[in-house]
Amino acid sequence: MRSRTVLCIRKIGPSEEETLDTTNCLTHRPIEKEPCNNQSCPPQWIALDWSECTPKCGPGFKHRIVLCKSSDLLKTFPAAQCQDESKPPVRIRCSLGRCPPPRWVTGDWGQCSAQCGLGQQMRTVQCLSYTGQASSECPETLRPPSMQQCESKCDSTPISNTEECKDVNKVAYCPLVLKFKFCSRAYFRQMCCKTCQGH
């Protein structure tokens, strides 16, 4: 809009005039305001709010949406209709602090390799980052063991009269079991029953 001042005046001399109340002027009063610049303003960039910083730690980025809008903000235009050199950034760097270091993560122990007596059991040991990705930055000195010794309980049920007491193991190592005094162990006593009898 543009405006102007409209007064009701009366000449009282060649170069003198006085201002009167508007009711004293009987002719049609000229307008004081009128519209101007009727053409639309060019589209402009409108930036929405920034997103949160991702990832949650370490160096990351914030993002936002930038739209090319009409001056009254009612219409959205293709980006090509706004000036590219004046477009606000849609991404900025950010950081929410240092990430936790990678750490060793262990799985559950597996079954004991021996059904009776001493054996071994295994588990998975992985170096993982805080996001769960494989890493090679865990200190090797702190790596948990992936294997340990285990012992399964042997069946200590006495052999009945109907069962023959014999050396079950076909490998001829029962004499060695006797020699190294392993007959006291339940597993060897069961596997080398005949050899270990009376010892």
Side-chain angles (χ1 to χ4, degrees):
M1 298 291 290
R2 61 180 178 177
S3 60
R4 63 183 176 183
T5 303
V6 176
L7 300 173
C8 180
I9 60 172
R10 178 173 61 183
K11 282 189 177 287
I12 54 174
S15 58
E16 276 191 275
E17 54 187 31
E18 63 177 344
T19 303
L20 303 175
D21 189 79
T22 55
T23 55
N24 291 308
C25 285
L26 302 177
T27 56
H28 177 71
R29 180 184 174 126
I31 59 172
E32 290 181 82
K33 290 182 179 181
E34 68 175 5
C36 58
N37 264 3
N38 290 327
Q39 70 275 17
S40 298
C41 292
Q44 58 186 331
W45 293 111
I46 298 296
L48 305 185
D49 291 338
W50 288 108
S51 69
E52 290 186 1
C53 187
T54 53
K56 296 293 183 186
C57 65
F61 289 95
K62 284 183 178 182
H63 297 82
R64 67 178 174 183
I65 296 172
V66 176
L67 301 172
C68 181
K69 303 281 283 185
S70 60
S71 56
D72 58 6
L73 306 182
L74 297 177
K75 293 180 184 176
T76 302
F77 296 111
Q81 294 196 28
C82 283
Q83 291 185 338
D84 193 55
E85 58 269 18
S86 63
K87 184 176 181 177
V90 296
R91 187 176 80 159
I92 56 170
R93 293 185 179 276
C94 59
S95 177
L96 293 177
R98 197 172 175 182
C99 294
R103 62 190 181 94
W104 292 110
V105 178
T106 58
D108 295 330
W109 286 108
Q111 268 191 316
C112 192
S113 61
Q115 292 183 350
C116 177
L118 293 175
Q120 292 176 333
Q121 57 186 162
M122 312 280 288
R123 67 177 175 182
T124 58
V125 177
Q126 293 176 290
C127 176
L128 299 178
S129 68
Y130 77 101
T131 57
Q133 303 295 313
S135 173
S136 59
E137 297 179 12
C138 296
E140 201 62 34
T141 53
L142 299 179
R143 182 188 178 102
S146 57
M147 183 175 67
Q148 71 175 6
Q149 198 174 47
C150 56
E151 185 174 4
S152 300
K153 286 188 177 179
C154 296
D155 186 7
S156 57
T157 308
I159 297 171
S160 64
N161 294 333
T162 56
E163 290 180 357
E164 185 184 353
C165 178
K166 58 182 180 179
D167 294 343
V168 177
N169 201 300
K170 292 181 181 178
V171 181
Y173 82 137
C174 285
L176 295 176
V177 170
L178 182 60
K179 182 180 177 181
F180 290 109
K181 299 179 181 178
F182 285 168
C183 284
S184 59
R185 298 187 184 181
Y187 171 72
F188 295 111
R189 190 167 63 251
Q190 187 177 10
M191 299 304 285
C192 301
C193 178
K194 190 173 182 181
T195 303
C196 289
Q197 254 184 337
H199 294 280

